[in-house]
């Protein structure tokens, strides 16, 4: 992988995973040292992330990880409801038995909110679950958009006040989506997908409204 792409991938993952939290300040020198990659590829990676809206730059001062606002949350989840319901409708006749079995297997994964590794595993499995549906929509651009939105949604896990109940609920919701697919129930698929996405949407909004969940501490990384 070219160095600039390598730096971009690693830095993006640091932001999406929360190791570099919302609103924290970072410098090129800090990232160069952390990634052990030269300044030129790091600078290019940071420029790309500014264009993607994950970093903000202030001339002569450095970079800041973009914070998470209610508008960001609403924009992402509103778009997810629209396109994922549409993708599921397209996928309902194209999902293969193997794909349905894979969705069923993935649907068994929830999370323990007190176990960071469990939460990260769920985030990856949840993204894969939704990506499969996008892939079997048969629309490559739609699938790419879903994959990108799922990546952006990962940042919301950093501020969501996760609960054991929600960890169990997501398994039930995923299972309901799979059952509706197996039954060829178009209305049921749409409703199950909508409920699942909106449940996560509400969880993030409630967390965002709680002072203790305010994203980021503004700490500088230089």
């Amino acid at each position: 992988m070219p160095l600039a792409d390598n730096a971009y991938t690693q830095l993006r993952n640091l932001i999406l995973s929360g190791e570099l939290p919302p609103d924290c300040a970072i410098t090129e020198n800090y990232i160069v040292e952390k990634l052990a990659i030269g300044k030129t590829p790091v600078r290019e990676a940071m420029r790309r992330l500014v264009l993607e809206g994950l970093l903000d730059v202030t001339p002569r001062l450095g970079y800041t990880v973009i914070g998470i606002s209610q508008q960001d949350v609403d924009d992402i989840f509103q778009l997810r409801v629209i396109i994922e319901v549409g993708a599921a409708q397209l996928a309902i006749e194209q999902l293969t038995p193997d794909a349905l079995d894979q969705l069923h297997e993935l649907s068994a994964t929830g999370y323990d909110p007190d176990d960071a590794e469990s939460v990260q595993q769920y985030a990856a499995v949840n993204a894969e679950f939704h990506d499969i549906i996008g892939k079997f929509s048969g629309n490559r651009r739609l699938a790419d958009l879903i994959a990108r939105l799922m990546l952006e949604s990962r940042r919301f896990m950093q501020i969501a006040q996760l609960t054991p109940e929600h960890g169990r609920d997501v398994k039930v919701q995923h299972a309901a989506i799979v059952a509706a697919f197996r039954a060829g129930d178009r209305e049921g698929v749409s409703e199950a997908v909508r409920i699942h996405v909106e449940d996560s949407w509400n969880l993030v909004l409630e967390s965002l409204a709680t002072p203790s969940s305010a994203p980021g501490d503004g700490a500088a990384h230089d």
Side-chain angles (χ1 to χ4, degrees):
M1 181 183 295
L3 286 177
D5 289 343
N6 189 3
Y8 164 79
T9 299
Q10 290 192 62
L11 181 53
R12 194 168 193 261
N13 286 339
L14 290 174
I15 295 171
L16 293 175
S17 68
E19 187 168 343
L20 293 175
D23 298 314
C24 80
I26 57 176
T27 64
E28 284 184 10
N29 288 338
Y30 172 78
I31 300 301
V32 166
E33 183 176 345
K34 187 169 185 64
L35 302 184
I37 296 177
K39 277 195 172 185
T40 298
V42 164
R43 186 175 296 121
E44 175 60 28
M46 297 179 93
R47 286 174 180 167
R48 287 174 64 180
L49 290 167
V50 168
L51 292 175
E52 280 193 14
L54 288 176
L55 286 178
D56 191 19
V57 60
T58 302
R60 295 182 296 279
L61 292 180
Y63 297 82
T64 304
V65 177
I66 293 292
I68 296 173
S69 68
Q70 180 176 335
Q71 188 64 56
D72 295 325
V73 174
D74 287 341
D75 286 350
I76 294 296
F77 277 108
Q78 186 177 65
L79 189 53
R80 280 189 57 191
V81 169
I82 294 169
I83 68 168
E84 290 191 46
V85 168
Q89 288 295 302
L90 292 172
I92 196 167
E93 294 180 353
Q94 302 191 68
L95 281 163
T96 64
D98 285 345
L100 286 168
D101 288 343
Q102 188 176 4
L103 288 175
H104 175 72
E105 182 178 348
L106 294 172
S107 71
T109 301
Y111 63 81
D112 176 356
D114 296 320
D115 183 345
E117 185 176 345
S118 168
V119 172
Q120 290 299 321
Q121 180 185 24
Y122 166 72
V125 167
N126 185 51
E128 184 177 0
F129 184 94
H130 290 266
D131 287 349
I132 289 171
I133 296 172
K135 173 184 174 183
F136 278 90
S137 72
N139 185 316
R140 180 175 57 81
R141 289 180 174 82
L142 182 58
D144 288 346
L145 182 54
I146 289 174
R148 177 172 177 177
L149 290 173
M150 292 305 300
L151 276 174
E152 293 190 56
S153 294
R154 278 184 60 188
R155 290 223 303 155
F156 300 152
M157 297 288 283
Q158 300 165 33
I159 63 168
Q161 295 185 351
L162 303 175
T163 65
E165 292 75 20
H166 187 260
R168 293 190 292 268
D169 287 346
V170 293
K171 292 196 293 184
V172 173
Q173 292 160 10
H174 278 164
I177 293 171
V178 177
F181 273 132
R182 288 194 188 279
D185 182 354
R186 288 187 174 277
E187 184 176 342
V189 164
S190 293
E191 183 68 2
V193 169
R194 183 189 62 76
I195 287 173
H196 174 52
V197 177
E198 289 186 351
D199 184 57
S200 295
W201 186 356
N202 290 330
L203 176 73
V204 175
L205 286 179
E206 290 169 4
S207 302
L208 193 62
T210 304
S212 62
S213 71
D217 58 5
H221 294 276
D222 55 10

